[in-house]
Amino acid sequence: MNFLDDLNEKQQLAAAHINGPMMVIAGAGSGKTRVLTYRIAHLMRQGVDPFNILALTFTNKAAKEMKERIGSLVGMGEAKNISMGTFHSVFARILRHNSEKIGYPSNFTIYDTQDSRSLIKSIIKEMGLDDKIYKPGSVHGRISSAKNNLISPSAYEASAEIVGEDRMARKPEIYRIYKLYNERCFKSGAMDFDDLLFKTNELLRDFPDVLHYYQQKFQYILVDEYQDTNYSQYLIVKRLAAVNENICVVGDDAQSIYSFRGANIENILNFKKDYPDFQLYKLEQNYRSTKNIVEAANSIIARNVDQIKKEVWTSNDEGGHITVVRCATDNEEGRVITNKIYDLKQSTGCEYKDFAILYRTNAQSRSFEESLRKLGLPYKIYGGLSFYQRKEIKDLIAYFRLSANPNDEEALKRVINYPRRGIGNTTLDAVSVAALQYNTSMWNVLSDPHQFPLNISSGIRTKLSNFVTKIQGYNAKLELVPAYDLASDIATSTGIMRELYEDKTPEGVGRYENIQELLAGIKEFSVSQPEGTKATLADFLIDVALLTDADQETEEDLNKITLMTIHASKGLEFPHVFIVGLEENLFPSQLSLTSRTELEEERRLFYVALTRAQKSCTLSYVNTRFKWGQLITAEPSRFIDEIDSRFVHFENKLEKSGGGVSLKGFTRPSDFSKPTTSRMQERPSGVPKNLKKLSDTPTSSSSSGGTTQPLKVGYNVEHDRFGKGKVTGLEGSFPNQKATVFFPRVGQKVLILKFAKLTVLD
DNA sequence: ATCAAGGCTTTTTTT
DNA sequence: AAGCCTTGAT
């Protein structure tokens, strides 16, 4: 039997392509993952050894799923042997095998973004620069994009253009920070995310035997989401594919949403230049969404100037309109969307996993979380603060890292005084200075303190040497003791377990459980290793640095409502999608409004969001929203109006009235003191006029100084939603005065008076 | 060296 | 709102 029969004609042609370069331009929902999967299976059926296949995906989860699907077609035993994963994880492994060639230990550490920023921050301090001007985050961004374009520190320094840009931005020293940063990473035996690609390029460039080996090994190369690769990734692929030219790239320019991290649509154009005889396949039939959704999405993307023209179409049902909902506040948005999900589930009988709430920024998840929890609906948030970014997890992993690679300076600084062992900043600074002075790592100073002049008391010296001995002990066990055993040994013998166990606060209990979960994860990791291979803690570390919480998904997560950013939703699909927070300055983001290309990327992002939906798609926006603790007013996103109106239904559009609602730009709290602005919130009906609404008179009472507060502890008040209650506490002053009120119906609440619809009864 | 309190800033997006 | 950092007291 021929399993290619599962595909449509165009998909079949692409999947059956064997030798020579090929590109698949695939519209949203046109089954590109399917083509990739079947093509790999087909290759294997045709006798290609899975060891000779390299498939690069955008996420580890995508790799895992694709592997499973291929496994079900040709057998798991075989599928296992394909090299499949993200660029970062595949090449981290390759680097590990070849690390000594480029001067790194095989147990090199992978610095995450936090590590990088913290290192950059200390370098900025050491250089005596002002970290208000040289913000670690933006300096890192600059360095990162240099690396993604394969610009080394010396090339950076030599480029008049780049240094000129820095000078214009009043940050002329970045090239020096970059240089020092790289030196420090090297000395710490650490690579950052970008190094994983940069160093791979170095390795393949400078070691012809290595290049040759992998060219022979990877006879067939496939790259998914090609539109989101950067120059560094492009060049790795080009080098590896140079001999056999059996390269297949799959992508959709309309879904390019990662240019902020160096992704480059030009890679598609370069492909045409590099392999002029390549075969092009276009997939334009959408199998995912209703006609309305497909055409609405088309009408959006048509507004972009930068695009490869294609006609995405579907033979699916027409489906319902795209619904647009207006809400007063972010909290109401949470309630409204949650209720809609509840109703839709009741009426259609679908499952929780059929719903997704997609937003532009992680911070928006809060209001949805709250109302979902209130209604008792199960949900899972992806992204944001992931499991591996939690403090307690990072702390324990820092011990693991240090045990595997004692030169890892960021790990050292993290745990040398955690749990408290009386080694403070003064001591650490002294060690750091000595390390810099003698051009060595902090660990070398610590482990051989007599070699270095350290002005430190003997009591502290003992503490330091105890710490060193402890780490050396772990280090010695690294190759001998199984990963799980060593990990739990470290967790207990450092005192981390005890410290967390003794913390009986809910947060403390949670942290303790997280540690347990991490240890369980390590056990699982050990078990899942192929027969005969022993998994050390160092092996686990390579994995863990590149895991995200999509990889953490458990069985029970499988039937929950999904909450994630639109970026994270790429490649996924859901029957019912809610795209929330469609407001100017949020989506499109304020930061994207300066250039057409950035705005177009936001539009592509909206396109991606729309095309996640299979059956229905609902958009929402709010009139006022909290941002950084301040209430701001918002306008509906331009993207709403950009959808061809034939496909849209406005559920409760605000009628244009001359009144105060169409206020523009009143985003500052100072505007609240202007008398004309009429509070922006509609006065709830049902509040008798003779009752004094606090929120109507915030300015006169407090900002004019000295006048007594209209509210006192003990007053009886009434709230629109919570009912009657008694004030039990007041704190802060205008505009941030808060009242603690006890409502017999709902319990104690802390209300911000500026906004609370509170009425005094006495 | 440690801790508490108060001030200050926030990359939108992620490997 | 929340986390981070500085400051000041012990």
Side-chain angles (χ1 to χ4, degrees):
Chain A
M1 58 154 252
N2 187 353
F3 55 72
L4 291 187
D5 291 345
D6 294 350
L7 304 176
N8 75 21
E9 204 175 319
K10 296 221 168 121
Q11 292 172 331
Q12 272 187 32
L13 284 174
H17 179 118
I18 295 183
N19 287 307
M22 65 183 282
M23 177 188 282
V24 181
I25 295 290
S30 63
K32 83 187 153 63
T33 311
R34 208 172 160 79
V35 166
L36 269 179
T37 311
Y38 277 75
R39 176 162 185 264
I40 294 174
H42 183 249
L43 286 174
M44 289 166 66
R45 282 277 179 92
Q46 298 297 309
V48 174
D49 189 332
F51 281 101
N52 292 331
I53 299 174
L54 169 65
L56 297 164
T57 58
F58 197 71
T59 62
N60 289 309
K61 191 182 166 200
K64 201 176 140 206
E65 285 174 3
M66 201 187 295
K67 227 178 211 184
E68 275 160 14
R69 285 171 71 176
I70 295 169
S72 69
L73 292 171
V74 297
M76 205 54 217
E78 288 293 288
K80 243 186 190 165
N81 297 323
I82 307 168
S83 296
M84 192 180 296
T86 61
F87 273 88
H88 290 84
S89 65
V90 166
F91 295 114
R93 284 209 174 73
I94 288 177
L95 282 169
R96 204 175 177 201
H97 287 300
N98 298 279
S99 55
E100 74 294 342
K101 290 199 173 62
I102 51 172
Y104 275 83
S106 70
N107 281 342
F108 66 83
T109 300
I110 298 170
Y111 275 178
D112 66 14
T113 309
Q114 252 185 62
D115 295 319
S116 297
R117 287 174 65 151
S118 126
L119 174 54
I120 287 168
K121 190 166 189 178
S122 21
I123 290 170
I124 289 166
K125 261 206 184 116
E126 286 158 21
M127 289 173 66
L129 298 172
D130 183 353
D131 69 356
K132 295 281 184 302
I133 295 164
Y134 290 89
K135 290 191 181 141
S138 67
V139 174
H140 181 230
R142 199 77 183 141
I143 292 174
S144 175
S145 61
K147 287 187 178 180
N148 286 150
N149 288 298
L150 299 179
I151 297 164
S152 66
S154 49
Y156 192 108
E157 181 178 0
S159 161
E161 189 191 341
I162 298 174
V163 178
E165 282 167 10
D166 285 344
R167 225 179 271 125
M168 294 290 269
R170 299 293 178 89
K171 298 171 195 171
E173 304 287 331
I174 290 185
Y175 77 95
R176 284 177 61 210
I177 303 175
Y178 182 13
K179 191 164 167 227
L180 284 173
Y181 170 72
N182 253 16
E183 287 171 5
R184 283 280 271 284
C185 286
F186 185 73
K187 232 176 278 170
S188 301
M191 295 193 201
D192 64 19
F193 285 137
D194 307 314
D195 282 335
L196 295 175
L197 308 176
F198 192 103
K199 302 287 177 190
T200 300
N201 268 299
E202 259 180 24
L203 183 72
L204 300 179
R205 185 193 63 195
D206 299 341
F207 298 88
D209 53 323
V210 177
L211 175 62
H212 183 72
Y213 174 81
Y214 287 106
Q215 282 175 336
Q216 290 309 308
K217 177 168 167 58
F218 298 133
Q219 301 202 0
Y220 291 87
I221 300 174
L222 302 94
V223 187
D224 196 6
E225 308 285 8
Y226 192 66
Q227 77 283 354
D228 284 325
T229 54
N230 59 38
Y231 180 67
S232 185
Q233 292 168 322
Y234 155 79
L235 206 57
I236 291 172
V237 171
K238 188 183 171 191
R239 287 191 159 122
L240 288 176
V243 174
N244 295 304
E245 294 206 345
N246 290 325
I247 165 125
C248 164
V249 302
V250 180
D252 177 8
D253 60 293
Q255 296 184 63
S256 164
I257 53 174
Y258 279 93
S259 71
F260 70 90
R261 73 178 210 211
N264 194 180
I265 310 192
E266 291 207 357
N267 287 345
I268 291 183
L269 306 174
N270 276 332
F271 191 87
K272 299 177 180 180
K273 258 187 264 162
D274 292 340
Y275 314 98
D277 57 340
F278 81 106
Q279 193 87 46
L280 175 68
Y281 302 90
K282 269 195 184 180
L283 305 180
E284 294 176 311
Q285 180 174 3
N286 174 305
Y287 291 96
R288 178 183 295 154
S289 317
T290 63
K291 274 202 181 67
N292 266 321
I293 292 169
V294 168
E295 285 175 29
N298 282 346
S299 73
I300 280 287
I301 205 68
R303 295 176 182 260
N304 274 6
V305 176
D306 292 332
Q307 58 172 315
I308 300 173
K309 287 281 175 217
K310 59 180 139 355
E311 294 291 327
V312 180
W313 60 278
T314 185
S315 60
N316 290 346
D317 290 346
E318 185 173 333
H321 284 89
I322 290 175
T323 308
V324 180
V325 192
R326 174 181 58 89
C327 306
T329 65
D330 42 1
N331 286 329
E332 189 189 313
E333 188 183 34
R335 287 196 303 274
V336 167
I337 299 297
T338 304
N339 287 332
K340 280 187 177 293
I341 290 177
Y342 185 85
D343 293 344
L344 206 53
K345 181 168 186 296
Q346 295 296 317
S347 60
T348 61
C350 52
E351 303 194 72
Y352 290 120
K353 68 166 159 42
D354 296 336
F355 298 94
I357 300 175
L358 307 180
Y359 35 76
R360 180 67 241 271
T361 68
N362 283 304
Q364 288 166 254
S365 66
R366 206 208 79 251
S367 63
F368 302 97
E369 239 177 303
E370 274 175 16
S371 34
L372 286 166
R373 219 177 0 226
K374 262 184 209 152
L375 274 193
L377 306 184
Y379 63 91
K380 160 116 177 145
I381 299 186
Y382 294 82
L385 197 108
S386 84
F387 183 75
Y388 295 104
Q389 288 172 317
R390 290 178 188 186
K391 183 189 172 303
E392 62 276 16
I393 301 299
K394 291 207 77 168
D395 288 336
L396 186 51
I397 286 177
Y399 272 105
F400 300 165
R401 277 165 52 173
L402 201 56
S403 308
N405 169 21
N407 288 322
D408 181 338
E409 190 173 304
E410 295 308 308
L412 176 79
K413 287 196 279 199
R414 188 168 185 111
V415 297
I416 193 168
N417 198 31
Y418 176 81
R420 301 248 169 279
R421 46 174 76 86
I423 303 171
N425 282 331
T426 320
T427 308
L428 212 52
D429 283 349
V431 175
S432 166
V433 166
L436 285 176
Q437 202 174 347
Y438 289 85
N439 194 27
T440 186
S441 71
M442 289 175 72
W443 173 259
N444 285 335
V445 174
L446 287 174
S447 57
D448 203 0
H450 303 289
Q451 296 288 315
F452 306 93
L454 280 177
N455 185 17
I456 277 175
S457 75
S458 69
I460 303 264
R461 272 174 198 276
T462 315
K463 287 173 182 168
L464 290 177
S465 92
N466 286 343
F467 177 73
V468 168
T469 310
K470 200 175 244 295
I471 300 297
Q472 283 169 337
Y474 301 145
N475 180 264
K477 290 183 188 167
L478 209 60
E479 298 295 326
L480 306 173
V481 178
Y484 174 78
D485 300 345
L486 181 54
S488 39
D489 175 16
I490 294 176
T492 46
S493 61
T494 52
I496 290 183
M497 282 294 236
R498 184 160 30 83
E499 175 142 333
L500 293 179
Y501 183 73
E502 282 165 3
D503 183 351
K504 294 301 185 192
T505 62
E507 297 81 22
V509 173
R511 284 193 279 268
Y512 184 76
E513 287 169 356
N514 287 338
I515 294 286
Q516 304 277 18
E517 196 179 329
L518 177 65
L519 292 175
I522 294 172
K523 183 149 228 168
E524 199 176 303
F525 167 81
S526 309
V527 174
S528 71
Q529 294 303 300
E531 300 269 324
T533 32
K534 57 171 183 153
T536 69
L537 197 52
D539 295 316
F540 177 73
L541 284 178
I542 283 269
D543 265 41
V544 87
L546 301 170
L547 284 182
T548 60
D549 41 284
D551 306 312
Q552 272 273 302
E553 210 168 43
T554 64
E555 273 301 302
E556 60 185 32
D557 290 336
L558 291 180
N559 197 12
K560 290 182 177 173
I561 298 165
T562 297
L563 276 72
M564 55 172 54
T565 62
I566 299 164
H567 281 90
S569 76
K570 192 172 73 156
L572 306 177
E573 60 185 16
F574 306 88
H576 305 287
V577 167
F578 297 83
I579 308 169
V580 299
L582 271 159
E583 295 132 40
E584 283 295 297
N585 298 333
L586 179 61
F587 191 19
S589 153
Q590 195 162 14
L591 299 168
S592 72
L593 299 179
T594 48
S595 74
R596 182 178 60 83
T597 53
E598 282 178 277
L599 181 63
E600 291 203 348
E601 177 147 321
E602 294 284 308
R603 194 176 283 119
R604 290 193 294 271
L605 193 57
F606 185 47
Y607 176 80
V608 167
L610 281 171
T611 53
R612 297 313 92 198
Q614 296 171 299
K615 295 197 175 102
S616 83
C617 185
T618 306
L619 316 179
S620 67
Y621 66 93
V622 306
N623 293 129
T624 58
R625 169 184 298 283
F626 268 100
K627 189 180 186 186
W628 292 332
Q630 292 281 308
L631 193 73
I632 58 162
T633 63
E635 284 182 81
S637 168
R638 67 189 70 191
F639 292 156
I640 296 175
D641 293 327
E642 286 181 1
I643 307 173
D644 188 320
S645 61
R646 285 179 296 158
F647 311 117
V648 187
H649 164 70
F650 290 88
E651 197 167 278
N652 53 352
K653 193 175 191 175
L654 202 54
E655 297 308 323
K656 285 230 169 68
S657 64
V661 204
S662 57
L663 296 165
K664 284 191 183 177
F666 283 92
T667 58
R668 298 240 107 79
S670 61
D671 291 321
F672 278 87
S673 56
K674 291 183 181 161
T676 48
T677 61
S678 81
R679 284 291 99 260
M680 291 161 233
Q681 306 246 354
E682 314 93 300
R683 174 190 298 267
S685 51
V687 178
K689 278 229 177 82
N690 58 345
L691 293 180
K692 196 170 145 195
K693 281 194 68 206
L694 284 180
S695 55
D696 280 336
T697 57
T699 50
S700 56
S701 59
S702 44
S703 62
S704 56
T707 42
T708 51
Q709 293 292 339
L711 196 64
K712 287 200 175 105
V713 174
Y715 275 23
N716 290 308
V717 292
E718 182 160 1
H719 186 272
D720 290 351
R721 278 200 297 129
F722 303 144
K724 290 182 183 172
K726 194 187 254 295
V727 179
T728 58
L730 284 170
E731 58 177 307
S733 57
F734 184 82
N736 293 315
Q737 190 179 29
K738 294 180 205 161
T740 311
V741 185
F742 181 78
F743 297 99
R745 257 176 50 201
V746 289
Q748 188 154 299
K749 297 273 172 197
V750 179
L751 304 170
I752 300 172
L753 289 182
K754 189 169 49 164
F755 311 121
K757 297 169 180 173
L758 216 50
T759 311
V760 181
L761 298 175
D762 315 64

